């Protein structure tokens, strides 16, 4: 492709709206343009990159035995009513009516549509297992679209759905996808981890998130330094030590004045104790209803764990200025004794003896508070945030925290959808059985952003070779010299003939501008035809990632460069 004929509107200024580096560089490099909140146009360079990701995903899905199809983006409401999600999905589901006043939504995901297809087309166990996937545009009316391609309203997803005869067979399908995902992200050239995303009540790990490691990730992961345990902190299990119960006589409860002592540390200091002996009471709104969550004073509530424990759809902290109005409780002095609203306690709190807690009276706390004796929670469980002081729940080893970007998610669904939608097949023994399902997503467009978050420097993007829109950029630094231009043009043609993706910078621009743009758009290999060619018949090859530069004879250069690129790509397979 000739640079002069391609729309690559690079800019030098940093766009003010871009908070993260991938967003900034995608705009500056001329990969994307914003239409409006959460909606982006993929410009030619952006689309080529997206297609590189999609091609790898497609190849590995096919290799794993999945079949590609394409479902409509617009979905009828009745399917969602059947599954029960028309009510449950919330505001991310964009709903609308057609001219006949029928309800529809824009597909945020396709479990309903695929289950409907399965119940019509898959009638016998002989047709199973089946794994069907598509690479398609999704719409989710995200509450806060941000970070460019990272969290859009409209984005490209690969979604796959497996159908099996039994739970055991479904687990096999799951494992096949897990392997495929490892191959996909390895082939993309990304540093990633598969983390346990759900330990639910089924037991075992039947949901994994694939995380690209990057400082700007929205997710925090814990990784064990000894075994291969890795989990999202939202779900990471906190192991309770077996000998955790304090051996102490229960004291009577007493009310003490603690004026101005709203913070745990201050109360503890004032009463001559430590934060781990204080019960911290936090108020939340769970689907609009007030709930009090208890953790030890030196711990933090993990709101996703709280949400799961409550079985709620949405959990958010109650704003301080609403606490009094909604509950008649004094912020800063709340405690579990006679609190009068739903109470959920972390497992660790239940082991505390003679704790300090708010008295539900302004300027007062209670001492000698004993769970079980002085209050009884409605629910107890693991609801606090794991820390690096906690042991690995698998092996007891030490944990580290790191940031990650979720690029993929695999999930064993079971029979939830097939039961709700009466999707059955005839098994070998003649009985009708529900399909056992799995679903497997990849944020294809988010992978582009994640790759950049992980691979960039102050000059621009450093694309991993497999994802780069072009593998090589040829810079003609002598556009006004016929001989130099002919030599550059020849290299461009020969590299293309060797099967490489080549961008040829034939613009009448200063060398400095060409170098800058080449660095900004992150093409892995740069070939310069300029003065050294004119003087010595040599060209220069530079690697974007390392800055490593070699000068080589013009003759034979194409063979050397294409061999180098091929070797590197083969290594990633
Ligand atoms: P998140 O927690 O980031 O909102 P999710 O759990 O809603 O993700 P899934 O429903 O599992 O995501 O979707 C599959 C994949 O689609 C995700 O792993 C992610 O890579 C991608 N994805 C989800 N939402 C968005 C979005 N708003 N913009 C871009 N990609 C997205
Ligand atoms: Mg989401």
């Amino acid at each position: 492709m000739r640079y002069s004929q391609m729309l690559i509107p690079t800019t030098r200024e940093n766009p003010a709206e871009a908070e993260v580096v991938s967003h900034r560089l995608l705009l500056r490099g001329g990969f994307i343009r914003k239409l409006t909140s959460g909606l982006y146009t993929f410009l030619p360079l952006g689309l080529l990159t997206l297609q590189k990701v999609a091609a790898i995903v497609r190849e590995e899905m096919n290799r794993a035995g999945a079949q590609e199809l394409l479902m409509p983006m617009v979905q009828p409401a009745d399917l969602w009513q059947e599954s029960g999600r028309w009510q449950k999905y919330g505001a991310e589901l964009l709903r609308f009516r057609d001219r006949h006043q029928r309800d529809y939504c824009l597909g945020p995901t396709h479990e309903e549509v695929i289950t409907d297809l399965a119940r019509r087309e898959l009638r016998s166990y002989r047709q199973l297992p089946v794994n069907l996937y598509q690479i398609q545009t999704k719409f989710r009316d995200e509450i806060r679209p941000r970070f460019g391609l990272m969290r859009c309203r409209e984005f490209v997803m690969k979604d796959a759905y497996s159908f099996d005869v039994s739970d055991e067979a479904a687990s096999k399908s799951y494992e096949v996808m897990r392997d495929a995902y490892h191959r996909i992200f390895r082939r993309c050239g990304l540093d990633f981890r598969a983390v346990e995303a759900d330990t639910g009540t089924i037991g075992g790990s039947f949901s994994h998130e694939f995380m690209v490691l990057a400082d700007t990730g929205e997710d925090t992961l814990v990784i064990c330094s000894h075994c291969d345990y890795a989990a999202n902190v939202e779900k990471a299990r906190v192991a309770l030590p077996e000998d955790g119960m304090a051996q102490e006589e229960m004291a009577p409860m007493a009310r003490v004045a603690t004026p101005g002592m709203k913070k745990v540390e201050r109360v503890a200091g004032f009463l001559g104790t430590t934060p781990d002996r204080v019960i911290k009471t936090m108020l939340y709104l769970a689907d609009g209803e007030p709930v009090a969550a208890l953790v030890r004073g030196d711990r933090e509530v993990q709101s996703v764990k709280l949400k799961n424990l409550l079985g709620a759809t949405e959990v958010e902290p109650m704003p301080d200025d609403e606490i009094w109005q909604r509950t008649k409780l004094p912020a800063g002095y709340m405690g579990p004794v006679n609190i009068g609203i739903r109470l959920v306690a972390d497992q660790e709190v239940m082991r505390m003896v003679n704790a300090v807690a708010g008295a539900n009276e302004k300027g007062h706390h209670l001492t000698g508070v004993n769970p079980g004796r002085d209050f009884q929670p409605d629910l107890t469980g693991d609801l606090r945030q794991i820390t690096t002081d906690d042991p690995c729940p698998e092996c007891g080893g030490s944990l580290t925290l790191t940031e990650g970007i979720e690029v993929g998610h695999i999930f064993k669904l079971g029979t939830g959808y097939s039961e709700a939608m009466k999707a059955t097949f005839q098994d070998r023994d003649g009985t009708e059985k529900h399909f056992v399902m799995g679903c497997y997503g990849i944020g294809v467009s988010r992978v582009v952003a994640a790759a950049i978050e992980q691979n960039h420097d102050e000059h621009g993007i450093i694309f991993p070779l497999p994802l780069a829109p072009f593998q090589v950029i040829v810079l003609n630094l002598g556009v006004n010299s016929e001989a130099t231009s002919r030599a550059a043009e020849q290299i461009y043609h020969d590299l293309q003939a060797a099967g490489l993706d080549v961008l040829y910078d034939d613009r009448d621009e200063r060398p400095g501008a060409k170098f800058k743009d080449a660095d900004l758009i992150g093409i892995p290999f740069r070939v310069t035809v300029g003065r050294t060619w004119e003087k010595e018949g040599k060209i220069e090859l530079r690697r974007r990632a390392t800055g490593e530069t070699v000068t080589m004879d013009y003759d034979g250069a194409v063979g050397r460069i294409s061999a180098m690129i091929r070797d590197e790509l083969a290594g990633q397979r």
Side-chain angles (χ1 to χ4, degrees):
M1 189 76 203
R2 283 170 190 277
Y3 204 129
S4 62
Q5 288 166 17
M6 198 167 172
L7 177 64
I8 312 177
T10 61
T11 59
R12 295 278 168 260
E13 309 77 48
N14 271 326
E17 83 235 49
E19 294 169 66
V20 296
V21 69
S22 63
H23 190 193
R24 204 151 58 226
L25 293 175
L26 284 166
L27 288 169
R28 282 193 48 206
F31 289 77
I32 57 169
R33 284 295 178 262
K34 179 168 160 178
L35 177 62
T36 182
S37 172
L39 305 181
Y40 288 88
T41 296
F42 282 83
L43 297 180
L45 266 190
L47 183 61
L48 284 174
T49 315
L50 188 73
Q51 286 167 340
K52 285 279 173 97
V53 178
I56 292 173
V57 170
R58 185 172 277 126
E59 248 179 72
E60 292 301 336
M61 289 302 291
N62 293 346
R63 194 212 293 232
Q67 304 169 57
E68 188 169 4
L69 48 53
L70 185 59
M71 291 178 268
M73 186 185 182
V74 172
Q75 307 185 8
D78 20 334
L79 289 183
W80 286 72
Q81 272 147 358
E82 265 189 78
S83 74
R85 288 209 291 184
W86 188 254
Q87 305 303 332
K88 267 194 263 168
Y89 207 89
E92 268 185 33
L93 191 65
L94 183 65
R95 303 151 209 248
F96 56 95
R97 286 208 168 138
D98 69 3
R99 64 171 80 201
H100 306 294
Q101 302 308 309
R102 286 190 204 103
D103 286 313
Y104 290 86
C105 63
L106 284 185
T109 172
H110 278 68
E111 281 82 5
E112 281 79 1
V113 178
I114 198 90
T115 305
D116 179 58
L117 183 81
R119 69 182 168 187
R120 293 165 192 274
E121 306 302 332
L122 303 174
R123 298 301 312 137
S124 156
Y125 71 92
R126 285 195 202 87
Q127 295 169 279
L128 303 177
V130 166
N131 186 329
L132 298 164
Y133 79 98
Q134 61 177 348
I135 297 177
Q136 185 235 29
T137 299
K138 297 282 183 275
F139 190 93
R140 294 182 181 180
D141 202 354
E142 296 275 355
I143 185 162
R144 274 207 297 159
R146 58 192 173 144
F147 303 157
L149 295 187
M150 210 94 95
R151 186 168 296 283
C152 305
R153 295 200 293 165
E154 193 175 307
F155 59 98
V156 179
M157 198 201 284
K158 184 284 297 177
D159 45 327
Y161 307 88
S162 62
F163 296 86
D164 276 285
V165 294
S166 65
D167 202 57
E168 198 190 352
S171 298
K172 277 199 198 116
S173 296
Y174 183 87
E175 290 307 322
V176 169
M177 278 298 104
R178 189 145 79 130
D179 288 348
Y181 272 47
H182 276 278
R183 277 200 305 274
I184 287 168
F185 295 115
R186 211 176 304 131
R187 272 190 63 188
C188 286
L190 297 170
D191 186 10
F192 70 97
R193 294 281 184 291
V195 305
E196 209 175 273
D198 186 54
T199 49
T201 42
I202 343 163
S205 324
F206 286 118
S207 173
H208 285 85
E209 287 167 347
F210 286 74
M211 297 281 188
V212 166
L213 304 187
D215 299 339
T216 43
E218 287 186 283
D219 289 275
T220 306
L221 326 175
V222 283
I223 297 177
C224 178
S225 10
H226 298 270
C227 71
D228 57 8
Y229 180 78
N232 195 320
V233 289
E234 290 178 347
K235 321 253 166 67
R237 275 171 287 143
V238 172
L240 262 194
E242 280 177 10
D243 54 351
M245 200 77 184
Q247 300 301 311
E248 204 177 305
E249 285 284 308
M250 284 191 204
M253 213 161 49
R255 175 173 162 277
V256 291
T258 51
M261 308 279 160
K262 287 187 167 187
K263 293 255 176 293
V264 168
E265 290 74 24
R266 293 204 57 202
V267 180
F270 182 70
L271 298 174
T273 183
T274 46
D276 60 323
R277 311 236 15 195
V278 178
I279 295 174
K280 185 154 77 178
T281 306
M282 308 291 288
L283 290 203
Y284 286 83
L285 282 170
D287 298 333
E289 290 299 313
V291 175
L294 308 179
V295 286
R296 231 171 64 176
D298 56 339
R299 311 295 197 192
E300 299 302 330
V301 178
Q302 168 44 255
S303 60
V304 175
K305 286 185 178 178
L306 177 64
K307 183 181 90 172
N308 291 342
L309 202 61
L310 289 166
T313 313
E314 231 167 59
V315 162
E316 50 185 355
M318 192 185 295
D320 264 6
D321 56 357
E322 287 181 26
I323 291 180
W324 178 255
Q325 175 207 336
R326 281 181 181 267
T327 63
K328 297 285 175 277
L329 288 167
Y333 302 97
M334 298 177 298
V337 182
N338 300 324
I339 190 166
I341 58 172
R342 202 154 176 224
L343 200 55
V344 189
D346 183 57
Q347 50 186 359
E348 212 174 23
V349 168
M350 299 313 287
R351 293 183 167 193
M352 293 171 80
V353 179
N354 299 330
V356 172
N360 295 325
E361 184 186 337
K362 195 168 179 217
H364 288 85
H365 278 79
L366 300 173
T367 59
V369 175
N370 288 285
R373 185 192 71 180
D374 302 323
F375 67 89
Q376 199 57 55
D378 298 288
L379 271 174
T380 61
D382 173 10
L383 58 89
R384 76 159 165 94
Q385 174 98 356
I386 199 164
T387 71
T388 48
D389 294 333
D390 288 303
C392 166
E394 288 292 331
C395 77
S398 59
L399 296 172
T400 55
L401 289 175
T402 175
E403 310 299 313
I405 300 166
E406 182 194 319
V407 287
H409 193 176
I410 59 177
F411 208 88
K412 204 171 136 191
L413 288 171
T415 53
Y417 288 95
S418 50
E419 281 177 29
M421 296 181 63
K422 303 189 178 60
T424 59
F425 63 95
Q426 195 171 60
D427 206 354
R428 195 183 294 269
D429 60 8
T431 59
E432 286 290 317
K433 287 198 178 138
H434 291 109
F435 296 106
V436 186
M437 293 171 57
C439 70
Y440 318 91
I442 291 182
V444 178
S445 49
R446 188 184 279 182
V447 170
V448 174
I452 297 171
E453 291 294 334
Q454 193 175 75
N455 303 281
H456 64 269
D457 62 13
E458 68 274 26
H459 305 295
I461 302 169
I462 307 176
F463 271 118
L465 184 58
L467 304 188
F470 293 100
Q471 295 156 331
V472 196
I473 182 165
V474 176
L475 303 190
N476 176 359
L477 297 189
V479 280
N480 297 318
S481 145
E482 209 175 296
T484 310
S485 296
R486 214 178 312 121
E489 195 107 356
Q490 191 64 50
I491 287 236
Y492 163 52
H493 283 298
D494 291 352
L495 285 171
Q496 260 187 335
L500 300 181
D501 301 327
V502 195
L503 180 61
Y504 174 43
D505 193 347
D506 57 339
R507 294 174 302 164
D508 188 6
E509 286 279 355
R510 285 176 302 104
K514 294 195 176 189
F515 290 137
K516 275 216 170 71
D517 280 335
D519 276 355
L520 176 61
I521 65 176
I523 310 303
F525 289 93
R526 187 186 85 191
V527 172
T528 314
V529 185
R531 216 159 275 154
T532 44
W533 181 81
E534 285 158 24
K535 281 200 202 131
E536 312 163 38
K538 288 181 191 293
I539 60 156
E540 206 180 80
L541 177 71
R542 180 173 173 273
R543 255 173 196 272
R544 174 69 181 89
T546 56
E548 195 186 330
T549 308
V550 289
T551 310
M552 56 176 79
D553 287 330
Y554 181 83
D555 297 326
V558 167
R560 281 182 68 182
I561 296 167
S562 56
M564 208 182 279
I565 291 176
R566 254 173 245 302
D567 282 355
E568 196 166 312
L569 281 175
Q572 252 141 353
R573 242 155 238 251

